[in-house]
Amino acid sequence: MAEAEEQETGSLEESTDESEEEESEEEPKLKYERLSNGVTEILQKDAASCMTVHDKFLALGTHYGKVYLLDVQGNITQKFDVSPVKINQVSLDESGEHMGVCAEDGKVQVFGLYSGEEFHETFDCPIKIVAVHPHFVRSSCKQFVTGGKKLLLFERSWMSRWKSSVLHEGEGNIRSVKWRGHLIAWANNMGVKIFDITSKQRITNVPRDDISLRPDMYPCSLCWKDNVTLIIGWGTSVKICSVKERHASEMRDLPNRYVEIVSQFETEFYISGLAPLCDQLVVLSYVKEVSEKTEREYCARPRLDIIQPLSETCEEISSDALTVRGFQENECRDYHLEYSEGESLFYIVSPRDVVVAKERDQDDHIDWLLEKKKYEEALMAAEISQKNIKRHKILDIGLAYINHLVAKGEYDIAARKCQKILGKNAALWEYEVYKFKEIGQLKAISPYLPRGDPVLKPLIYEMILHEFLESDYEGFATLIREWPGDLYNNSVIVQAVRDHLKKDSQNRTLLKTLAELYTYDKNYGNALEIYLTLRHKDVFQLIHKHNLFSSIKDKIVLLMDFDSEKAVDMLLDNEDKISIKKVVEELEDRPELQHVYLHKLFKRDHHKGQRYHEKQISLYAEFDRPNLLPFLRDSIHCPLEKALEICQQRNFVEETVYLLSRMGNSRSALKMIMEELHDVDKAIEFAKEQDDAELWEDLILYSIDKPPFITGLLNNIGTHVDPILLIHRIKEGMEIPNLRDSLVKILQDYNLQILLREGCKKILVADSLSLLKKMHRTQMKGILVDEENICESCLSPILPSDAAKPFSMVVFHCRHMFHKECLPVPSMTSPAQFCNICSAKHRGPGSAILEMKK
């Protein structure tokens, strides 16, 4: 609830322009201020009785018969002494050039404010109301009405004389009138009537509901919302009436217009005034309350409510109690509500006070939000309406919001809001940082500091880094990673880190951070040394990124110890920067690492490290025997004698067998397989690879007295050696395991060979016959001979230029052509002729297929 507060300032006891608000989360819809200046002076000596409002000025009537013209600030611009008694009504036309005044002593005046035009009349009874035609300025609309015991219409005739006519009488005093367009609405003791000035017909009568109320104490309030909508407030009842055109078929003797009540509802208090506000209503209410102590009624502060009319009820939007001067002594009839349609201004008039109510603008909305400490909503409202706000600045609201959050201890939220509120204002950023430092919350603002546009002074960033360095190594490391190195003085921070390392020299976080600082400072050597000491994964990225290969020539062992696979890949990818010879020399004292390097080099290229192949034999034998045999097989630069010596010393049988066979000593190799490995299958496989009859003979001789070997030979020898040779050599009575199965397998293998041979023979015969038929068909085809063909011997055209002359020619299957006389005469022993060209090129006999004579 909002209350208009009265504050006294100095001896004049001036009231303020604000309304007092009760504690509520609901924002008021209107704001209030007293109409002061000249109004204050007037009401100190007199009392307001009525007022009317024009867009340009105000007209105030008093109990002492004065009419004052005021500007919108309440300053007096003109004064009229109309009567010695109370002014009951002041009326203005729409142009604001003509005014009508009526007084309690029966005086009526209608005159031009800027012309000499004037009407004076004194009646024998009090005149309560006067209303001039809205378009009185026009010569055709010189009309006005007055109301006392009867309602009179005055019209100026064509001779500038005024004539009057009675519109209504006999139902008590006329106490309220409103003229809009061609319609006049008035209220008497019985109800409300509407008169159509055009058709000269009264079109409706709306009776009052509560006849128990005295009409002079609780007068009717009338208000035209538009040209056809009349709002009636009387007692506690509100009716909204709509003037509508009657259909021609319904006319008969009825007026051409009628009134329909579209909404009717009751209010909580007595109505003193009404005004439209868009599709809502502003209602000024007179309130009576009962004292809890004395249980007597007393006059409470009047209320100004905004309501939403419905068909049979209403919804309260807002309700404000107003502390107007002298409200304890006022009655319902003492209050009036006037309004200015153009600016949505509402004037609450009482005998001792005039209060102006205005719709709240965005500045007022923001004021309320700030008062309720709803800073975020206030900031959002200011951003949305930044073109319309006049008293507030977004930055000021934002700073107030930050201060509010800091006061509440919500430091992280306050720091986060700095990004949006402070924007690119470096000076404000620095001010806020120092403010956060004073409360010990530099860590809170550090994630949100600008890092590019704008850039703050280096001292700001250094101050925050020192704060983290003293208490949070991990946070310090994070800032160093995230902040560009040019934001602060790198050497200052490096020295600070080194000072801390003196106390804790093994702190990995500090060491890693120091390495990053060295990197920013392009001191890559120190950074690399720290990374290697820490065995940090980024060491290889650092070397590649900054081309530090010259710095790692003496650190190869360290790199290999850290990650041999990555180190070897890097070294091999950059042979042009670190030679193979240099790497091998550096790894001389670490043969296991030397082997890893040379092994990967050999896998990449069998020839690049050929000078080290002899060394690799020993390295493979020592550290990687499984890869020794593949190395011996793939290397063509390996000294076989040296390799054989090493393998024999270490008793590497498989490798020795391979070397013996490669050196041509197959019999010794076979013997070693038989005697050392005792593996008949391997021996047979070796014999198959060598495909040497003498080797098979040695294998049979060695196996002849060893039954398991004989079984192995019988199972595998069949495709390379005649099994009969082996079987004949087996001693009688020797017991051979699985002999029957071996003999069956030999027979099956033999049978299979026979079948394969027969199958191959059939295929061969069929293919030969098919090809022979094809060749025969081809050779039976004719061959085109024309003038372009030449003799392959004499190179002259094969056909004579004179076709009548006799000629003889030979055409071979190979398409070569000869004159008969150009070919050698066939011998008696071999009468067949062959193409000289194909025979010379060893293409086979090209026998003649065609001999032509003519």
Side-chain angles (χ1 to χ4, degrees), residues 370-385:
L370 293 175
E371 182 183 338
K372 297 298 180 182
K373 299 190 184 303
K374 298 182 178 182
Y375 291 94
E376 188 162 12
E377 293 178 37
L379 185 61
M380 189 180 302
E383 289 171 345
I384 294 172
S385 307

Side-chain angles (χ1 to χ4, degrees), residues 603-664:
K603 286 292 184 183
R604 286 198 180 191
D605 192 326
H606 292 345
H607 308 289
K608 270 190 178 180
Q610 60 185 11
R611 61 186 293 185
Y612 303 108
H613 284 199
E614 181 177 346
K615 178 188 285 288
Q616 282 186 267
I617 299 170
S618 301
L619 294 175
Y620 276 112
E622 181 69 27
F623 304 108
D624 192 9
R625 185 190 169 185
N627 283 313
L628 174 57
L629 186 57
F631 170 73
L632 295 173
R633 286 176 176 160
D634 294 339
S635 173
I636 60 173
H637 307 291
C638 176
L640 299 181
E641 294 81 2
K642 179 68 175 178
L644 181 61
E645 179 184 346
I646 293 172
C647 291
Q648 287 176 339
Q649 287 175 356
R650 294 177 177 270
N651 197 27
F652 292 169
V653 179
E654 292 186 14
E655 291 80 355
T656 303
V657 168
Y658 170 74
L659 290 170
L660 287 172
S661 65
R662 186 171 168 185
M663 295 170 70

Side-chain angles (χ1 to χ4, degrees), residues 44 190 284 287 337 399 476 545 588 633 654 710 812:
Q44 284 176 347
M190 304 304 293
L284 177 62
V287 181
L337 179 64
L399 292 175
F476 174 76
K545 185 176 180 179
E588 193 65 41
R633 286 176 176 160
E654 292 186 14
I710 293 175
F812 291 95

